[in-house]
Amino acid sequence: MDSVAGKVAVLTQVLREVVGDAAAATCDVDHKWPDSARADLVSRDVPGRNVTIQATPEWFDIRANDLGVSATIFDSDYDEAELEDTIRELATVAREYLAGGGHIEWRRHLLGGPRPRLKIQTGHGEWVLGRRTSHIPYP
């Protein structure tokens, strides 16, 4: 899908279906990346939890902004069905985190203090969002 407006529409629709009223969501074109769609979600139930989902022509990203962790999926050759499936999976991860789910693990690093890693289990496997590395379950 080449249209940014189309990506915003798919993002809005999928978030409405998957996340529902669990979070306040705003979807729009990302002004830093004009060819990408972005959604900012703020939990209604767990204070402080907020997530950003972004879809660009080359990659998809989910960030737990309050922890400073993320995961990125690189895919520059997707069609509309793949766009919707990928956003649906990212929305599932976001919904779980915003509802208070997931396990936050603090790992010590040689240079600096502890860094968070967020682990979330979905129907496709375990997602691990980190500051420098992440793990995404591929089917």
Side-chain angles (χ1 to χ4, degrees):
M1 172 177 293
D2 293 333
S3 162
V4 178
K7 287 179 192 165
V8 171
V10 170
L11 190 56
T12 303
Q13 173 195 338
V14 171
L15 288 174
R16 191 175 300 125
E17 292 170 7
V18 176
V19 177
D21 292 333
T26 57
C27 299
D28 204 351
V29 174
D30 188 329
H31 298 291
K32 284 180 153 179
W33 301 87
D35 58 348
S36 70
R38 173 185 172 135
D40 293 302
L41 300 100
V42 177
S43 176
R44 294 188 193 276
D45 299 325
V46 183
R49 288 200 175 188
N50 62 88
V51 171
T52 298
I53 296 175
Q54 190 168 13
T56 77
E58 289 85 27
W59 45 267
F60 298 88
D61 187 61
I62 182 166
R63 291 186 302 274
N65 298 313
D66 50 305
L67 292 175
V69 297
S70 65
T72 303
I73 300 170
F74 293 95
D75 186 357
S76 60
D77 186 32
Y78 57 84
D79 60 22
E80 190 168 342
E82 290 173 317
L83 171 70
E84 186 172 332
D85 290 345
T86 302
I87 291 174
R88 188 170 304 282
E89 188 66 21
L90 294 173
T92 301
V93 173
R95 180 191 65 217
E96 293 300 315
Y97 178 64
L98 294 169
H103 172 71
I104 301 168
E105 185 179 273
W106 292 89
R107 300 188 65 182
R108 297 207 48 80
H109 286 269
L110 187 60
L111 301 174
R115 292 186 186 151
R117 284 190 352 162
L118 173 62
K119 294 182 175 185
I120 294 182
Q121 191 69 36
T122 69
H124 292 110
E126 184 178 62
W127 287 69
V128 179
L129 285 70
R131 290 210 174 148
R132 300 205 189 276
T133 61
S134 62
H135 172 76
I136 299 164
Y138 287 100

